[in-house]
Amino acid sequence: MIRVGVLGARGRMGSEVVRAVEAAKDMEVVAAIDADDPMSALVDAGVQVVVDFTHPDVVMGNLEFCVANGIHCVVGTSGFDQPKLDAVAALLADRPDVGVLVAPNFGIGAVLLMRFSEIAARYYESAEIIELHHPRKADAPSGTAAHTARLIAAAREGMDSMPDATTQEEPGARGAVVDGVRVHSLRISGMIAHQEVVFGGESETLTIRQDSLHRTSFMPGVVLGVREIVGRPGLAVGLDKYLDL
Ligand SMILES: NC(=O)C1=CN([C@@H]2O[C@H](COP(=O)(O)OP(=O)(O)OC[C@H]3O[C@@H](n4cnc5c(N)ncnc54)[C@H](OP(=O)(O)O)[C@@H]3O)[C@@H](O)[C@H]2O)C=CC1
Ligand SMILES: O=C(O)C1=N[C@H](C(=O)O)C[C@H](O)C1
């Protein structure tokens, strides 16, 4: 049995993770931690793998503690830009036996959307991202949208910049720019997590869309991450690294 600790255990995602881990035959929750609970409970409980769904402002402190204590980390918390990922890699340099998976999105459809977008990017002169989430989300743009933008930008390397004649603009009307890719963030009651990537070229467009309709959609990916990470030391970014895509 894999001994799992959940950080953010009373949150929207953390509470689903507790249920999903308890339902899996080969793992069990031995520590459920939320804000203000002592992290030492992870060590006391003999946790092997931590699942973190907390907040972008606290996740680095959590990782520092876990890596220093030899605990593998499956991280869903958003807000990882390159400097933060570099900081995680630096933590792991002192503990090469520990694994950290940072997954912008654990939904299989979202993982496929990111991969399909990466493939499509080279074939279209225009690409923009629209992400739609519940209004209690703390960060914008979403981690998934930012990661998708970086994948598209990398795939477009060497291509001309995207056509855009805008010279007069209300601030924000054309969205945020992540690595040269426009990202538009909507916060809508009733929604969970949704993303469209719109590509355009000569007389055609391609729209790729994924919808997470319930937070259970993320759970098969989280359980896979917990199962896999015990044998995968080092830093992995994206659940696709654990899949044969
Ligand atoms: N990768 C993926 O597939 C997905 C990622 N996410 C990301 O996961 C994160 C959490 O989302 P969500 O569950 O909706 O957010 P919630 O606010 O519902 O849950 C976060 C929980 O973490 C708690 N918390 C805050 N600080 C700490 C700490 N230092 N230690 C332990 N627990 C702490 C919060 O407590 P309190 O409220 O008291 O502060 C809260 O209970 C976000 O960054 C979100 O973007 C979400 C869905 C899917
Ligand atoms: O906060 C959320 O809900 C989600 N956060 C992640 C993100 O920022 O991309 C993953 C998913 O979109 C849900």
Side-chain angles (χ1 to χ4, degrees):
M1 292 290 267
I2 305 171
R3 297 173 69 78
V4 179
V6 180
L7 295 179
R10 286 195 293 273
R12 287 177 288 270
M13 283 297 290
S15 52
E16 285 294 343
V17 171
V18 169
R19 276 191 283 278
V21 169
E22 287 297 351
K25 288 191 172 55
D26 55 345
M27 55 189 75
E28 59 183 335
V29 176
V30 295
I33 308 279
D34 212 82
D36 301 331
D37 294 333
M39 293 285 281
S40 56
L42 298 172
V43 178
D44 297 343
V47 166
Q48 294 168 276
V49 178
V50 137
V51 180
D52 189 304
F53 282 97
T54 56
H55 192 281
D57 293 345
V58 303
V59 64
M60 285 306 294
N62 294 345
L63 287 180
E64 200 171 329
F65 177 90
C66 292
V67 171
N69 283 282
I71 301 171
H72 306 293
C73 304
V74 171
V75 183
T77 304
S78 50
F80 279 86
D81 53 13
Q82 197 54 48
K84 265 190 170 179
L85 292 171
D86 291 344
V88 177
L91 293 176
L92 287 170
D94 295 332
R95 288 300 304 242
D97 54 319
V98 176
V100 175
L101 167 65
V102 176
N105 200 309
F106 282 98
I108 184 67
V111 174
L112 290 171
L113 173 144
M114 289 186 266
R115 181 75 188 107
F116 295 158
S117 299
E118 195 178 9
I119 293 169
R122 282 203 65 74
Y123 299 97
Y124 292 94
E125 62 181 8
S126 299
E128 299 202 10
I129 298 170
I130 305 162
E131 56 98 337
L132 312 90
H133 280 84
H134 59 93
R136 285 169 296 175
K137 184 166 177 56
D139 54 316
S142 72
T144 308
H147 191 65
T148 310
R150 290 187 202 108
L151 292 174
I152 290 172
R156 284 179 54 89
E157 199 156 319
M159 291 172 66
D160 292 341
S161 56
M162 296 182 206
D164 183 356
T166 309
T167 51
Q168 189 214 321
E169 179 190 355
E170 287 293 327
R174 293 284 292 114
V177 182
V178 179
D179 274 14
V181 180
R182 300 270 171 187
V183 183
H184 310 269
S185 297
L186 281 63
R187 297 292 174 262
I188 309 285
S189 291
M191 290 196 170
I192 299 284
H194 318 258
Q195 181 167 297
E196 283 187 20
V197 185
V198 184
F199 295 97
E202 183 62 45
S203 305
E204 70 158 332
T205 65
L206 170 69
T207 302
I208 308 175
R209 179 173 173 123
Q210 187 265 345
D211 297 274
S212 277
L213 304 175
H214 192 280
R215 290 184 177 84
T216 49
S217 63
F218 303 111
M219 294 306 124
V222 172
V223 168
L224 172 78
V226 171
R227 209 167 270 143
E228 286 287 317
I229 202 160
V230 288
R232 294 180 185 256
L235 174 63
V237 181
L239 189 65
D240 55 301
K241 302 297 184 305
Y242 288 10
L243 302 171
D244 190 17
L245 293 183

